Amino acid sequence: MVVALWLTACTPGIPSQASPSQATPTIPVSAVPSLAPQPAPTATLAPEEAFNRGLERRAAGDYDSAAEDFFAASNTVPEGPVARVARYYLAESFALRGRWTSAVEALNAFVADNIQDEWSARALFLIARGHEEAGSHAAAITAYERYRALATPAEPYARLRQAAQERALGRLDAAASGYEAVAASAIARGERAAAYERAIALRRELGQQAQALQLARDLLALAEQPDYRARMLFELAALPRDQGDIATARAWLTEAIERAPASPAALAALEQLRADPGAQVPPELAARTYEAHGRWPEAIAALDIAIGTASGDRRADLLRRHALALRATGDFAGALAGLDAAIVAGGDSDAGRQAQLDRIQTVGQSGATEAAIAEYRAFAAGLPDDPRAPEALQRAALLLDRLGDSDGAAEQRIDLGRRYPASPLAQEAFFSGALYLFTAGRAAEALVAWQELATASSGATAIRARYWAGRAALAAGETATGRARLEEVIATAPDSYFAARARVLLGLQESGTLPPASSLSDADWRAIAEWLTGWAGAPPANASDPAGDPAVQRAMELNALGLRGEAMAEWSAVLSRHTDDPHALATLARLAHEHDIPAAALRAAGMLARLAPGDNQAVAPAALRRLIYPTPFTAVVLARAREFNIDPALLFALLRQESAFDPAATSWAGARGLAQVMPATSQGIARALGMPGFQEHDLYRPELSIRFGAYYLSRQLVAMDGNVEGALAAYNGGPGNAQRWSGGAPIADPDLFAERIDFEETRNYVKAVIGQYDIYRRLYAWK
């Protein structure tokens, strides 16, 4: 039976119609060629070797090849030590490829031996999922109940899925009870909140309003994130209102506005309260909500009412906001008159000074640019200690740019930096002014400015200024000074983008000695433990073992079941409870690493490294750096790097930045998988690679995501004439923007290109990947 099923599963067929939320998406064999390096034939391997290779291929998402290995491991020596587990993975491979009917048959055969262990439990869970996929809700419920009876760490998640099946059969009360049990459990907060929402909806559908209201109160006790809480408050306010508790309903709607005035829920709550004759919304609160949504006429009306009862500084601030709302409608004369009134009302108070600054801005926006420049300068001169003074001078510089006076703008920014050396805004202005001098061929002047900035600042700002001081010194012919500044950057921030660039300029590119696929040894773990003890001391005698944390157990079991997204939510929960416990973080990093969960290991190790005092960070053992900069899916990454002629160290750096090696990663914008390829982009890549059966949820398969990411990066490298910074900018910010930032010409100076990227996210992305690229090159031996 199993042999026949395996042969059927390896036959090319029609693409599966699996849900996009499926944790382990599939694609037919005919659509995707094997993406792993081609090894020796399976028949030449011992069962244990075939089994281990099958696990590697399974982790990479090469399910067809993995099935071949598991078939060999389970049949070469049927009673051998790995045979039974290999049979489980062979049966699971059908599910991973969307062949659920075959999976259920094979898994039923697997559990027929009545052996009770973790493998039979997981088989029951997959049997239940197979019935789900087939729409056999009653059979799925039975299988989930059998699984839940085993009381595994993932039991609440089985109950969650069982409740969905109860709902599909119309068993609303049973479904609601299931969701309520999960909501009251100790699983990840997000999953609990979702369970509460479903339970509330079912109790309302059943007409059980009192139970729904109590659940709503329980959910609100859990909800903390402002936008989410505001949405829940708005959506749930009908429950107390329908039961005659009008005061609570109004209070919930009012809180929704207070919590997140810029959210859609706040605006909807405000409109609902305004339609309620008995409700009273503070006019100032209403105005703030309308302002956040650009509803200026309504904001003006609300502010008019608020101003009528206000006095002192509050009245001055309301007058100021009223004037700015008029300005937003294009009424500059009214805005200026209103700001004059606010200045009179506020005097020398904070509100009065802000009104002064807003008035100058309004003058500039009305077209009187030179007058506004003079007034900004006068404001800063008259109130040099006001925290708004640096902003006034920065606005003056922006207006000089508008007039085309680039020299004057640069001088203004440098003057601002010298006057307020501790202000982050002034430091950025100082840097920009020096950069203008550098690009204008005035390297010696830029050198002086950047050295001043490096001396006056600290941290990342000082490193950036010191690097550019080195660049300016080299350009000015001061080679010794330039080299000294660049060497200081490397010594002070060795893993930064600027250190990476300094090594290039100095010709100091280092190469690592560790094979990318090498594992951590006992000696490596001892090195981490000794380093940790050296600065954190021995762990407390009464410290609990985080490995025993139920959330950790749930995370590992969920990962084994293929529910990667849910698993990472549990890892996030447990890590958040140990943010200040270095010994616990070390234990969790090792646990995640040894269970092949690189995203969790990376995060735990990174948190641990950040807890170490400065000097101890600098001497962290190489083993800890390997946890922070790991090389999972090594064979696939190396193969795709060769296929598309990309440096594998660069590909690893990109994958780390994109997803932290979480195959289930999904961005707010919808990008998916390890390489975070957008669905729309993925369709074009699939066509280019000749994959007509591709489906967007296949982006969660590591091997496919890596291949798509490598292909897309290679295309951007070609488009940007081989420049890595340009290709990374295109990967993150779009090819059109990358061409705009380069001026449509080959990039002659990567540093200037990176600084001129006007999307902060993309600028930071490029620098982050370049810094990590350098680390990967220095840590591992790629040849």
Side-chain angles (χ1 to χ4, degrees):
M1 172 71 76
V2 173
V3 174
L5 287 172
W6 175 77
L7 291 173
T8 300
C10 289
T11 303
I14 299 173
S16 69
Q17 297 302 313
S19 165
S21 62
Q22 184 177 324
T24 48
T26 60
I27 198 164
V29 182
S30 58
V32 185
S34 174
L35 300 182
Q38 297 304 305
T42 301
T44 65
L45 299 180
E48 292 80 3
E49 293 174 317
F51 177 77
N52 289 331
R53 191 175 70 184
L55 290 178
E56 292 177 4
R57 289 169 156 181
R58 171 185 176 273
D62 186 2
Y63 304 130
D64 294 305
S65 299
E68 296 176 8
D69 286 329
F70 293 134
F71 176 76
S74 62
N75 285 277
T76 304
V77 183
E79 302 305 321
V82 299
R84 184 167 186 276
V85 181
R87 284 195 292 274
Y88 167 80
Y89 281 124
L90 176 58
E92 180 207 41
S93 74
F94 306 146
L96 297 178
R97 289 172 288 172
R99 298 182 171 111
W100 286 99
T101 300
S102 297
V104 170
E105 291 183 35
L107 290 162
N108 276 324
F110 179 81
V111 300
D113 58 14
N114 292 318
I115 297 175
Q116 298 294 315
D117 61 8
E118 61 189 296
W119 306 105
S120 59
R122 291 167 185 165
L124 288 173
F125 189 92
L126 288 180
I127 288 169
R129 286 198 61 193
H131 290 311
E132 270 191 66
E133 294 291 330
S136 302
H137 307 301
I141 291 168
T142 299
Y144 279 129
E145 286 176 339
R146 291 178 64 193
Y147 176 82
R148 288 178 50 221
L150 300 174
T152 76
E155 185 275 335
Y157 289 88
R159 188 157 196 176
L160 197 61
R161 301 181 80 95
Q162 180 181 330
Q165 301 306 297
E166 301 276 11
R167 175 72 179 87
L169 287 177
R171 302 175 186 174
L172 304 190
D173 191 72
S177 295
Y179 285 129
E180 288 164 13
V182 174
S185 72
I187 65 172
R189 292 172 69 92
E191 297 291 345
R192 290 179 61 201
Y196 270 122
E197 289 188 54
R198 296 186 184 108
I200 292 167
L202 287 170
R203 293 302 180 195
R204 295 174 83 169
E205 190 174 345
L206 287 164
Q208 298 168 349
Q209 302 301 320
Q211 288 174 263
L213 178 55
Q214 183 55 52
L215 289 169
R217 294 182 189 278
D218 293 340
L219 171 55
L220 291 175
L222 183 71
E224 295 179 347
Q225 198 277 334
D227 281 356
Y228 176 72
R229 183 174 178 84
R231 180 167 66 85
M232 288 297 99
L233 286 162
F234 169 70
E235 293 179 1
L236 299 173
L239 284 168
R241 184 189 62 223
D242 292 347
Q243 295 179 61
D245 188 354
I246 305 301
T248 295
R250 290 170 177 164
W252 285 8
L253 292 172
T254 301
E255 186 187 346
I257 302 169
E258 293 170 339
R259 288 277 183 164
S263 68
L267 184 60
L270 176 58
E271 297 292 354
Q272 194 171 117
L273 285 171
R274 290 190 64 190
D276 179 353
Q280 292 185 344
V281 182
E284 187 173 351
L285 180 61
R288 193 167 298 283
T289 304
Y290 285 131
E291 287 169 316
H293 292 272
R295 298 272 291 269
W296 300 114
E298 293 97 329
I300 290 168
L303 287 164
D304 278 332
I305 298 171
I307 289 167
T309 59
S311 60
D313 289 351
R314 179 167 167 265
R315 175 180 172 81
D317 190 60
L318 290 171
L319 286 168
R320 181 187 68 82
R321 288 166 55 192
H322 185 276
L324 295 180
L326 288 172
R327 187 178 76 185
T329 67
D331 183 0
F332 285 93
L336 288 170
L339 289 167
D340 285 337
I343 293 168
V344 171
D348 199 39
S349 68
D350 187 77
R353 291 185 178 186
Q354 184 61 50
Q356 291 181 51
L357 196 64
D358 290 336
R359 190 189 188 285
I360 300 170
Q361 185 181 52
T362 305
V363 168
Q365 290 182 359
S366 68
T369 305
E370 293 182 347
I373 293 170
E375 290 184 33
Y376 276 133
R377 288 171 170 167
F379 179 96
L383 300 168
D385 296 328
D386 190 285
R388 284 165 285 254
E391 182 181 353
L393 295 177
Q394 171 67 347
R395 290 184 184 182
L398 291 172
L399 292 180
L400 287 165
D401 284 331
R402 184 189 299 178
L403 291 175
D405 185 1
S406 299
D407 285 347
E411 290 174 8
Q412 182 71 76
R413 290 186 172 101
I414 291 172
D415 175 65
L416 166 57
R418 285 173 173 154
R419 285 199 206 183
Y420 300 98
S423 163
L425 183 149
Q427 290 171 354
E428 183 62 29
F430 203 170
F431 177 87
S432 297
L435 189 65
Y436 170 79
L437 296 176
F438 181 83
T439 57
R442 297 158 64 180
E445 295 173 70
L447 170 59
V448 172
W450 274 320
Q451 290 196 137
E452 285 184 49
L453 178 57
T455 301
S457 60
S458 61
T461 299
I463 295 299
R464 183 190 189 196
R466 192 168 288 120
Y467 172 79
W468 278 99
R471 286 284 318 264
L474 292 175
E478 299 183 27
T479 304
T481 300
R483 293 185 66 87
R485 296 294 85 79
L486 297 177
E487 288 166 358
E488 288 170 5
V489 169
I490 295 171
T492 307
D495 291 341
S496 67
Y497 161 80
F498 293 107
R501 291 293 304 142
R503 289 188 184 92
V504 172
L505 294 179
L506 294 174
L508 298 177
Q509 184 58 53
E510 305 169 23
S511 297
T513 58
L514 297 167
S518 60
S519 58
L520 292 178
S521 65
D522 288 342
D524 290 323
W525 292 113
R526 283 196 299 272
I528 293 175
E530 291 169 2
W531 167 80
L532 173 58
T533 303
W535 60 269
N542 60 349
S544 60
D545 183 2
D549 189 317
V552 173
Q553 301 301 315
R554 283 193 297 271
M556 291 193 294
E557 186 60 22
L558 289 166
N559 197 69
L561 292 170
L563 301 180
R564 287 169 168 160
E566 293 89 336
M568 284 307 301
E570 293 288 352
W571 276 112
S572 294
V574 73
L575 288 171
S576 69
R577 291 197 290 273
H578 294 286
T579 54
D580 298 321
D581 186 344
H583 291 286
L585 291 172
T587 299
L588 292 168
R590 180 167 188 173
L591 195 65
H593 174 78
E594 292 180 342
H595 284 80
D596 294 322
I597 309 172
L602 183 162
R603 184 171 168 189
M607 293 168 68
L608 171 60
R610 288 190 291 275
L611 286 180
D615 292 343
N616 290 284
Q617 287 186 27
V619 296
L624 183 66
R625 290 171 61 76
R626 291 169 63 191
L627 289 173
I628 300 173
Y629 298 95
T631 55
F633 316 108
T634 309
V636 178
V637 172
L638 294 178
R640 293 314 117 221
R642 285 194 298 270
E643 179 182 4
F644 297 112
N645 195 30
I646 297 172
D647 187 336
L650 174 60
L651 187 51
F652 270 116
L654 180 140
L655 295 173
R656 185 184 185 279
Q657 181 65 25
E658 289 288 349
S659 64
F661 300 113
D662 178 8
T666 304
S667 77
W668 65 269
R672 302 178 180 183
L674 289 172
Q676 289 290 279
V677 176
M678 291 293 290
T681 303
S682 70
Q683 294 293 347
I685 296 173
R687 287 192 296 271
L689 294 176
M691 297 166 55
F694 166 75
Q695 298 177 58
E696 289 174 2
H697 59 257
D698 295 316
L699 291 170
Y700 293 114
R701 288 181 59 179
E703 62 167 2
L704 186 141
S705 184
I706 292 168
R707 190 177 192 219
F708 276 32
Y711 170 82
Y712 191 65
L713 179 61
S714 72
R715 295 302 86 203
Q716 304 318 311
L717 282 165
V718 170
M720 301 304 292
D721 301 294
N723 180 267
V724 174
E725 286 82 359
L728 292 172
Y731 195 102
N732 178 265
N737 285 317
Q739 291 292 340
R740 175 170 64 85
W741 294 321
S742 71
I747 296 171
D749 189 325
D751 295 323
L752 286 176
F753 171 81
E755 295 294 350
R756 287 169 172 165
I757 295 173
D758 54 14
F759 291 177
E760 182 179 10
E761 177 190 332
T762 300
R763 183 171 62 252
N764 292 339
Y765 174 90
V766 169
K767 292 182 178 181
V769 176
I770 292 296
Q772 293 170 70
Y773 177 26
D774 183 62
I775 293 170
Y776 273 103
R777 286 193 293 184
R778 290 184 289 119
L779 192 55
Y780 297 100
W782 298 103
K783 293 183 180 180

